[in-house]
Amino acid sequence: RDLASHAAEAHSLHRPGRCDPPYDAPKRHFRPEERVPGFVAAFCLRTEEPVAVRYVDFREVWAKADPADLACLQECPLAFFDTDNGQRSEPVIVVSSDPVCQWRIIDLRDSHRYEPEGTKAAVKAYTRLCKLADSVSRELEVHGGDMVIFNNKVCSHAWPGLAEPGDRLIRVVHASREA
């Protein structure tokens, strides 16, 4: 698919295939983890200017996060209210381990668009985790002809440059080891 046509979702940290597109809307937005693609490849076929891609490595977040916050978010599910379309997701655990690979996974949502809902402790822990993820995120520039591959079980990524107008074409493909 063309990443620029999904720019609203792409410009904030996300893991493709987890909730975009919604899994079974309106009942369920989040896809079960075993059905989330393992890898994402983005091909920058054309761009006038370099496009920024930001990513956060879950291993770094796990290493620096307060263990109490991680434990809370492994136990207490959160729902997310989408302020753009007025819909609320089903409650989900946002810190988990992949059942196959044992990756430690963190589901992050755009804090400007999605409001976390749950216990007061879980919402506060999630807010702290999002701030930590922002502080450890890294950015790289993608030029025409470049390809970027993300392990969807190890990191979230964002394309903040897609929010800006411009002539660019970025194609995205999802894949899993099982496929």
Side-chain angles (χ1 to χ4, degrees):
R1 71 184 169 110
D2 178 13
L3 191 59
S5 66
H6 291 64
E9 289 81 19
H11 77 273
S12 61
L13 286 171
H14 68 288
R15 290 189 315 125
R18 175 68 164 137
C19 57
D20 178 36
Y23 180 62
D24 186 20
K27 295 183 290 184
R28 291 176 67 183
H29 289 274
F30 288 90
R31 187 168 270 101
E33 190 58 47
E34 59 272 9
R35 299 189 52 100
V36 176
F39 298 92
V40 179
F43 303 90
C44 183
L45 301 174
R46 179 182 69 241
T47 183
E48 295 172 334
E49 299 290 327
V51 179
V53 60
R54 186 169 65 99
Y55 65 95
V56 61
D57 187 324
F58 301 149
R59 296 168 295 191
E60 191 169 356
V61 175
W62 274 83
K64 295 182 178 181
D66 181 338
D69 285 348
L70 295 171
C72 176
L73 294 171
Q74 285 179 297
E75 299 294 325
C76 301
L78 292 173
F80 293 90
F81 180 74
D82 185 338
T83 59
D84 282 3
N85 66 25
Q87 292 184 337
R88 181 171 283 104
S89 76
E90 74 277 13
V92 293
I93 297 294
V94 296
V95 173
S96 62
S97 294
D98 179 88
V100 176
C101 304
Q102 297 302 310
W103 295 111
R104 294 174 169 174
I105 298 168
I106 302 169
D107 281 310
L108 303 169
R109 308 287 291 168
D110 178 7
S111 61
H112 299 295
R113 177 176 174 181
Y114 298 96
E115 297 173 351
E117 299 175 343
T119 66
K120 195 178 282 189
V123 169
K124 286 182 178 183
Y126 181 76
T127 302
R128 286 189 293 271
L129 202 63
C130 287
K131 287 180 183 176
L132 174 61
D134 283 341
S135 74
V136 300
S137 68
R138 295 186 176 92
E139 193 169 286
L140 58 97
E141 286 188 346
V142 178
H143 302 265
D146 288 349
M147 177 177 72
V148 181
I149 299 174
F150 294 102
N151 183 329
N152 219 14
K153 307 292 184 176
V154 175
C155 70
S156 287
H157 65 278
W159 297 80
L162 293 182
E164 302 164 9
D167 182 28
R168 63 183 70 89
L169 180 60
I170 300 172
R171 297 283 185 192
V172 176
V173 178
H174 306 120
S176 292
R177 291 178 196 264
E178 297 78 31

